[in-house]
Amino acid sequence: MTSTSSASTLRPAEAEHTATSDAPFDSATGVQLLDPSGARQRNDRNEPYQALVDGLSLDELQQFYRDMAIMRRLDAEGTALQRQGQLALWVPSVGQEAAQVGAGRATRPQDWVMPSYREHVIGMIRGVDFVDMLDMLRGNTHGGWDWQRTHFHLYTLVIGTQSLHGTGYAQGVALDGLVGTGDIDRDTAVLTCFGDGATSEGDVSEAMIFAESLHVPEVFLCQNNQWAISVPVGIQAARPLADRAAGFGLNAVRIDGNDVLASYAVARSLLDDARSGEGPGFIEAVTFRRGPHTTSDDPTKYRTRELEACWADRDPITRYETWLRTDRDVPQAFFDEVEQQAGDEAARVREAVLHLPDPEPASMFAHVYSEPHPVMQAQAAWLADYEAGFADEEEQA
């Protein structure tokens, strides 16, 4: 399905909050701590979150930039590897780094993350090796990483399903007594991630209903990147998505998703509330998917170059770099170091991907179910017989 990117085709209420309008994010409607020019914003709306940012050390602030810059470089490597036939598919996250890094850095070690399929840098923050993500997208494995160690669950390609998983897991956390104890190293929250398109799925509405009804320690992170593949968000919702969550009773906050400080501060605040037993929260991070939905998509068919240029001017990494240089006097040497680190990591990843071993065909049946399953056993036996037939033909030849 495709649609025009002209705001004139949208109802007035839609044009007020969709990327097809001339105002991608209105700071009067949500939290923005850094404006697109990199200037710090202080007002009544932002005041509850200022202390969280002011309390960050320079090392922590620099880590935000390091995360975003390295992810941007690895994103380019993922695209190149797919174009060269080394991956079956790549899912870019260019433009969404601030929303992800801020939220990812706001989690605590005991928290759990339920991702969709684009939260690469959150996975890396949680300890997932980027090579393991590419191993999955190469088609070598059903999953690729140890989610029990990283507390970063496996990717979910079925749109919105992870929202129910997150709510159910958060209910389990509450039943285990890991909420509201006052121990910051023990109290646990779940961060559940999805895009604007997922909010049209019944699963997401059901997850929010149950999350509020059961008062679970969960924060929903909706990265409103403006396009559910080719459908603009204004076609799906005539009001900001945060309003929809508020209708379910969640503490919903709309933020500038290209502002890493806003993402961190709001996510940390809502996650702290969830851990302390104050119930679920919802973040609508207004951002933009700068690239295609996946490498199988062509965004030029449904949006204009003018729109893309508008959002390029609001690039989250450029904005944050400007603030670090002007407000925190971070020297050029730091940015040179990060660039070198990103290049070294990209080279490591490329070398590792090119030498990933092909999996044994029978391994595709090994972990579909937690226990032996007769259907899987039958299919594995059929494949073994099929493969053996080729060996017999070779011997006869």
Side-chain angles (χ1 to χ4, degrees):
M1 177 179 180
T2 60
S3 66
T4 178
S5 60
S6 171
S8 63
T9 64
L10 302 177
R11 300 190 303 272
E14 295 167 344
E16 288 177 2
H17 71 279
T18 181
T20 53
S21 71
D22 294 331
F25 178 80
D26 183 356
S27 59
T29 67
V31 177
Q32 181 188 75
L33 301 181
L34 286 182
D35 70 14
S37 72
R40 185 77 177 268
Q41 302 297 299
R42 294 182 183 274
N43 53 48
D44 291 343
R45 182 177 295 100
N46 296 337
E47 188 57 37
Y49 308 103
Q50 302 288 7
L52 287 168
V53 173
D54 293 340
L56 291 168
S57 68
L58 182 59
D59 285 345
E60 289 172 315
L61 292 170
Q62 289 178 327
Q63 186 62 54
F64 290 171
Y65 179 86
R66 193 185 307 275
D67 291 336
M68 291 193 292
I70 291 176
M71 184 64 248
R72 180 69 63 89
R73 179 63 183 85
L74 292 179
D75 225 316
E77 198 64 40
T79 296
L81 286 165
Q82 192 280 328
R83 298 306 190 206
Q84 294 162 7
Q86 297 299 326
L87 302 178
L89 188 74
W90 174 239
V91 186
S93 61
V94 175
Q96 298 180 224
E97 295 92 351
Q100 293 190 15
V101 168
R105 287 293 172 187
T107 61
R108 297 190 185 278
Q110 69 271 22
D111 291 339
W112 289 81
V113 179
M114 300 291 174
S116 59
Y117 45 75
R118 203 183 301 273
E119 286 74 33
H120 316 309
V121 72
I122 297 181
M124 291 163 59
I125 289 170
R126 300 296 303 185
V128 178
D129 189 334
F130 191 65
V131 175
D132 290 338
M133 295 182 173
L134 299 189
D135 196 25
M136 177 190 66
L137 291 166
R138 189 177 171 92
N140 285 356
T141 172
H142 294 306
W145 56 87
D146 185 349
W147 58 269
Q148 292 178 310
R149 177 183 65 83
T150 61
H151 288 205
F152 182 79
H153 215 275
L154 301 181
Y155 277 172
T156 304
L157 296 181
V158 180
I159 305 299
T161 298
Q162 73 278 9
S163 61
L164 292 172
H165 301 164
T167 297
Y169 201 94
Q171 183 185 11
V173 166
L175 292 172
D176 285 343
L178 300 176
V179 179
T181 69
D183 184 346
I184 63 171
D185 296 321
R186 185 169 181 266
D187 287 340
T188 302
V190 175
L191 179 69
T192 300
C193 309
F194 48 79
D196 52 287
T199 62
S200 292
E201 295 286 341
D203 284 1
V204 173
S205 292
E206 292 167 11
M208 288 193 287
I209 290 169
F210 276 102
E212 175 59 25
S213 298
L214 299 171
H215 212 61
V216 303
E218 181 178 21
V219 173
F220 297 95
L221 172 64
C222 174
Q223 295 168 74
N224 180 358
N225 67 20
Q226 311 296 329
W227 295 94
I229 306 183
S230 61
V231 180
V233 66
I235 298 298
Q236 302 181 80
R239 296 286 303 171
L241 299 174
D243 291 357
R244 182 179 294 177
F248 290 117
L250 276 69
N251 183 8
V253 183
R254 198 172 204 239
I255 69 169
D256 183 341
N258 283 10
D259 173 4
V260 70
L261 297 183
S263 178
Y264 169 80
V266 173
R268 171 51 65 92
S269 177
L270 291 178
L271 285 166
D272 284 347
D273 288 346
R275 294 187 203 97
S276 65
E278 296 184 25
F282 181 98
I283 301 170
E284 180 190 358
V286 181
T287 181
F288 190 75
R289 167 170 53 80
R290 295 271 301 278
H293 179 71
T294 70
T295 46
S296 64
D297 170 43
D298 180 5
T300 64
K301 293 183 179 296
Y302 54 84
R303 67 188 191 197
T304 65
R305 293 187 183 277
E306 290 78 12
L307 179 62
E308 293 178 351
C310 172
W311 279 88
D313 290 339
R314 292 161 173 79
D315 185 83
I317 300 178
T318 302
R319 175 187 312 197
Y320 191 58
E321 178 180 345
T322 298
W323 181 74
L324 287 177
R325 290 179 183 274
T326 59
D327 193 88
R328 295 306 171 100
D329 297 322
V330 174
Q332 180 62 39
F334 166 74
F335 298 101
D336 292 341
E337 174 198 339
V338 172
E339 183 177 5
Q340 181 64 47
Q341 184 179 356
D344 291 345
E345 179 65 3
R348 180 192 74 85
V349 166
R350 167 169 284 275
E351 182 69 13
V353 168
L354 294 179
H355 290 89
L356 286 171
D358 292 333
E360 290 295 325
S363 66
M364 73 177 78
F365 307 107
H367 302 293
V368 178
Y369 294 93
S370 60
E371 297 178 356
H373 193 285
V375 174
M376 293 298 101
Q377 292 171 332
Q379 291 182 358
W382 179 91
L383 179 62
D385 290 342
Y386 179 75
E387 294 283 340
F390 289 102
D392 292 341
E393 291 178 2
E394 292 176 359
E395 291 177 359
Q396 293 173 3

